[in-house]
């Protein structure tokens, strides 16, 4: 695990951290950047971030495990996130989740065998007016119905 | 000053005070649970997570947590009306709704703050019973046991581990019902940067964090006719044991403690102060050797030297300061020196195999349990120190065996490993190890006796202290830290250029030194107790006939007949150790 700190495997991230005016209070921003850059936050990356930021690995893990946006598992090429916040939930987000599970054959938190899709659940994205909301790599789909699920998947299934 | 009224009584407190502090100034007790104020360590845990201390503030719609609500001019607070009392009861009922109800057999029974509070609020039955999620396995290390089903998320352990000790082994993880205090990646504590200092155990209000109790194994050894069972007692135990039996803090219980151990059936009762003297012979010789190399410009990195008596401190260096791994003294801790000598020299004397000699340690410390367990302190799978009990465990054993400690006559330690000096005694307090080392190193170097044995400037309670001692025209700069957070700041200073040119450093991991060890009777944040224990330590030293380790006749005899010279070949083999950089998270 310690090896990563000595290699320049995380060079991109290090440059980002070094460019920050202060490290204090910036952990979440750094984690966001790391997840966007590497797709997920494996243990060795969290250890590296802890050292670089001068905080304990336990604290980094505490933050990573608290926010559902952060993932310790590799995500698929297309990450489908379904909002399970209160507004989306009462408007049937659970049924949307079930439909995606059926369509992709994976559980929430898993990635398809071909690495194409992963499925995750989010807490409120702040677009309650569009409930239920689905995000695919950040693109927002609002007022999604069960019938639309297959179409959304197909939109990406045949993309390269 | 801010003027306010609590329960109709007027009080003035400094701006920035909390309602809880103002109430305390009026002698009004508001119940608390997560709150903990360890004044001298600068630690205040005010997570305000438990809401047990809620009070009514006039003009405010919701009840306010007294521990985290600042006072304001003209504030009116009610701490005890029906609304407040109902709220506290509901909070408590919710807190214990998913708490295991095995109080009868819980390790913390009798010392549990949750239990005390439940009693105070007269909770009867369980009106709220929710889903009990038990997803967390017990994490059992040689020193401590984590049973997170009993955690109430007060976060005291986290504050202690991160703010006071700066170890960073613990953090709140996950969210909602799955939230818990844990290690990075939920690893077993053994695989983390945890130093086993046990201060988390010392502040945990419930049975979530407890010591790994060895007392049953001690009973078994005592009952085994094939075993000779001996015990060593650390200096800090005798000045704290009395508290467990209603004596004033700082009561000196040496004679009665020895008597109780003999009463229990230990074949020999010896003193860790003896091996503390031995530590000084080795560490003092090493200090002089390294000082010579430093002064002759043979090796500019020969100094500073760090004391190595405290296993939590050694764990801290090994995992957090790899660049300083070469500076601690190679001398083993007094506990391990004792084990090593007992299982060689003393076993030979008795003419028995080391496997039939059981060495028990009575320690104020949890890290000593883990230290005894380390691989390098065993010979063919037989540990030099077999079992380690804490002051608390020993106090329980005294009760279980129906021993009335107050009525016992004072008894003396056995020969030869029970003979010691005042220098060995002061190992129990911050500043003591280095003072003992200076007493010996000074006389061995200058070849003339000290005019004054006490080095007052090395004593005290400040977190980081600096002292200067003139040794033969050379000013030895001495740094002292207690509490790992203070140690970290001192070590960082040394690592980053050592601008104050510190030559020798003493560190003890626990606030106050071993007197504040995690195995001592709970002091619940009251630092006056620690100060009383410290005073007693120096009192015993003052009243000792012998006060310099190199004048201990049993030590002189040991070198003459068995060990040879300090730092000699046999001494090296039995009394010294190695340190390893440990990459941990």
């Amino acid at each position: 695990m310690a090896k990563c700190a000595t290699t320049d495997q995380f060079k991109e991230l290090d440059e980002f951290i070094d460019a920050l005016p202060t490290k204090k209070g910036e952990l979440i921003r750094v984690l966001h950047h790391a997840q966007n850059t590497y797709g997920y936050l494996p243990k060795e990356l969290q250890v590296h971030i802890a050292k670089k930021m001068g905080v304990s690995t336990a604290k980094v893990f505490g933050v990573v495990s608290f926010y559902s946006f952060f993932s310790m598992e590799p995500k698929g090429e297309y990450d489908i996130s379904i909002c399970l916040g209160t507004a989306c939930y009462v408007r049937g987000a659970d049924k949307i989740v079930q439909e995606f599970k059926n369509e992709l054959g994976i559980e929430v938190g898993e990635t398809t065998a071909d690495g194409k899709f992963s499925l995750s659940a989010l807490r409120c994205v702040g677009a309650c007016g569009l409930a239920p909301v689905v995000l695919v790599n950040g693109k927002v789909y609002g007022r999604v119905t069960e019938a639309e699920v297959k179409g959304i998947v197909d939109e990406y299934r045949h993309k390269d | 000053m801010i003027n306010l009224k609590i329960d109709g009584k007027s009080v003035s407190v400094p701006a920035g005070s909390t309602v809880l502090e103002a109430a305390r100034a009026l002698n009004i007790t508001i119940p608390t649970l997560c709150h903990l104020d360890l004044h001298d360590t600068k630690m205040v845990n005010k997570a305000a997570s438990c809401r047990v201390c809620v009070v009514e503030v006039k003009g405010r719609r919701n009840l306010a947590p007294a521990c985290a609500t600042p006072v304001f001019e003209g504030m009116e607070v009610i701490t005890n009306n029906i609304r407040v009392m109902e709220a506290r009861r509901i909070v408590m009922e919710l807190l214990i709704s998913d708490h295991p109800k095995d109080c009868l057999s819980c390790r913390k029974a009798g010392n549990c703050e949750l239990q005390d509070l439940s009693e105070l609020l007269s909770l009867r039955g369980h009106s709220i019973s929710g889903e009990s999620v038990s997803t967390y396995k017990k994490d059992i290390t040689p020193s401590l046991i984590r049973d997170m089903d009993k955690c109430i998320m007060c976060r005291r352990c986290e504050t202690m581990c991160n703010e006071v000790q700066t170890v960073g082994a613990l953090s709140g993880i996950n969210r909602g019902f799955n939230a818990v205090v844990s290690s990075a990646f939920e690893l077993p504590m053994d695989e983390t940067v945890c130093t086993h200092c046990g201060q988390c155990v010392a502040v945990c209000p419930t049975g979530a964090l407890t010591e790994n109790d060895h007392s049953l194994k001690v009973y078994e050894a005592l009952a085994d006719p094939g075993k000779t069972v001996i015990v060593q007692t650390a200096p800090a135990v005798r000045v704290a044991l009395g508290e467990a039996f209603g004596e004033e803090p700082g009561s000196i219980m040496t004679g009665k403690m020895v008597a109780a151990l003999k009463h229990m059936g230990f074949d020999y009762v010896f003193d860790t102060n003896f091996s503390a003297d031995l530590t000084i012979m080795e560490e003092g010789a090493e200090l002089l050797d390294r000082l010579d190399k430093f002064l002759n410009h043979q090796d500019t990195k020969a100094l500073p030297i760090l004391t190595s008596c405290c296993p939590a401190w050694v764990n801290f260096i090994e995992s957090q300061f790899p660049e300083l791994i070469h500076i601690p003294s190679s001398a083993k801790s007094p506990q391990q020196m004792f084990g090593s000598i007992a299982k060689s020299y003393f076993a030979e004397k008795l003419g028995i195999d080391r496997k039939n000699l059981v060495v028990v340690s009575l320690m104020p410390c949890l890290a000593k349990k883990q230290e005894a367990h380390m691989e390098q302190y065993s010979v063919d799978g037989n540990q030099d120190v077999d079992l380690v009990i804490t002051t608390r465990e020993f106090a329980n054993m005294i009760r279980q065996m129906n021993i009335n400690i107050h009525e016992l006559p004072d008894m003396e330690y056995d020969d030869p490993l029970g003979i010691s000096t005042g220098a060995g005694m002061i190992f129990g307090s911050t500043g003591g190890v280095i003072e003992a080392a200076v007493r010996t190193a000074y006389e061995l170097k200058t070849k003339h006796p000290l005019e004054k044995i006490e080095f007052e400037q090395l004593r005290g309670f400040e977190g980081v202290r600096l002292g200067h001692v003139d040794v033969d025209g050379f000013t030895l700069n001495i740094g002292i830290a207690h509490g790992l957070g203070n140690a970290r700041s001192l070590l960082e200073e040394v690592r980053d250029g050592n601008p104050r040119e510190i030559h020798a450093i003493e560190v003890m991991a626990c606030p106050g030194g071993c007197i504040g060890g995690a195995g001592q009777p709970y002091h619940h944040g009251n630092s006056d107790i620690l100060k009383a224990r410290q005073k007693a330590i120096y009192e015993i030293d003052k009243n000792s006939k012998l006060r310099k380790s190199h004048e201990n006749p049993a030590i002189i005899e040991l070198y003459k007949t068995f060990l040879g010279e300090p730092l000699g070949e046999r001494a090296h083999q039995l009394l010294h150790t190695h340190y390893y950089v440990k990459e941990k998270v």
Side-chain angles (χ1 to χ4, degrees), chain B residues 420-464:
Chain B
S420 68
T421 72
M425 183 63 212
I426 58 176
F427 265 58
S429 168
T430 170
V433 172
I434 206 76
E435 180 173 339
V438 168
R439 287 181 192 175
T440 287
Y442 181 92
E443 293 201 352
L444 294 182
K445 174 88 179 159
T446 64
K447 310 266 188 307
H448 51 79
L450 277 168
E451 279 170 31
K452 191 171 183 322
I453 291 175
E454 291 93 359
F455 289 86
E456 300 287 350
Q457 54 161 332
L458 301 178
R459 301 181 179 183
F461 221 79
E462 271 295 298
V464 180

Side-chain angles (χ1 to χ4, degrees), chain B residues 1-23:
Chain B
M1 296 296 269
I2 306 287
N3 303 295
L4 69 153
K5 272 188 181 172
I6 303 180
D7 296 342
K9 292 180 192 164
S10 299
V11 66
S12 297
V13 290
S17 302
T18 62
V19 171
L20 184 65
E21 286 159 343

Side-chain angles (χ1 to χ4, degrees), chain A residues 51, chain B residues 301 304 306 316-328 488 491-497 580-583:
Chain A
K51 276 196 184 151
Chain B
K301 285 189 176 156
L306 295 177
F316 189 71
I317 291 241
E318 287 187 325
S319 63
Q320 311 234 0
F321 283 90
E323 56 281 74
L324 296 178
I325 195 80
H326 59 285
I327 66 174
R488 177 186 289 282
L491 268 226
E492 282 174 351
E493 178 187 330
V494 168
R495 184 191 61 194
D496 303 337
Y580 305 95
V581 172
K582 290 177 182 154
E583 281 285 352

Side-chain angles (χ1 to χ4, degrees), chain B residues 8-42:
Chain B
K9 292 180 192 164
S10 299
V11 66
S12 297
V13 290
S17 302
T18 62
V19 171
L20 184 65
E21 286 159 343
R24 283 185 180 165
L26 280 170
N27 267 331
I28 294 171
T29 309
I30 298 173
T32 58
L33 186 57
C34 67
H35 183 81
L36 183 72
D37 189 350
L38 295 175
H39 308 267
D40 286 289
T41 61
K42 314 265 186 303

Side-chain angles (χ1 to χ4, degrees), chain B residues 111-173:
Chain B
N111 264 314
C112 174
E113 294 178 45
L114 191 66
Q115 196 175 41
D116 292 348
L117 205 55
S118 157
E119 198 175 291
L120 177 77
L121 300 180
S122 295
L123 292 197
R124 299 289 178 262
H126 313 297
S127 63
I128 303 171
S129 55
E131 193 185 348
S132 288
V133 195
S134 178
T135 46
Y136 297 98
K137 290 191 295 276
K138 273 191 193 173
D139 179 10
I140 301 174
T141 77
S143 61
L144 53 89
I145 297 176
R146 292 171 65 242
D147 182 358
M148 286 300 108
D149 287 339
K150 290 183 178 163
C151 174
I152 54 160
M153 288 301 276
C154 71
R155 321 290 282 258
R156 284 186 191 177
C157 55
E158 211 185 316
T159 307
M160 181 50 92
C161 189
N162 298 329
E163 312 280 319
V164 179
Q165 299 294 63
T166 68
V167 170
L170 295 173
S171 175
I173 65 157

Side-chain angles (χ1 to χ4, degrees), chain A residues 45-118:
Chain A
L45 180 53
Q46 292 184 45
V47 171
H48 179 76
I49 290 171
K51 276 196 184 151
K52 191 84 188 153
M53 296 294 287
V55 298
S56 70
T57 310
K59 178 167 177 161
V60 173
F61 176 66
V63 173
V64 169
S65 62
F66 184 86
Y67 291 104
S68 53
F69 174 81
F70 297 128
S71 169
M72 288 179 63
E73 300 298 326
K75 296 246 171 152
E77 193 182 339
Y78 299 102
D79 180 38
I80 300 173
S81 314
I82 300 116
C83 179
L84 291 179
T86 312
C88 291
Y89 198 87
V90 296
R91 294 184 59 98
D94 55 332
K95 294 191 192 80
I96 305 294
V97 171
Q98 192 52 53
E99 199 53 39
F100 273 108
K101 283 190 198 169
N102 295 345
E103 187 60 35
L104 296 170
I106 53 172
E107 288 296 312
V108 172
E110 291 181 350
T111 303
T112 53
D114 61 2
K116 193 106 181 167
F117 292 102
S118 53

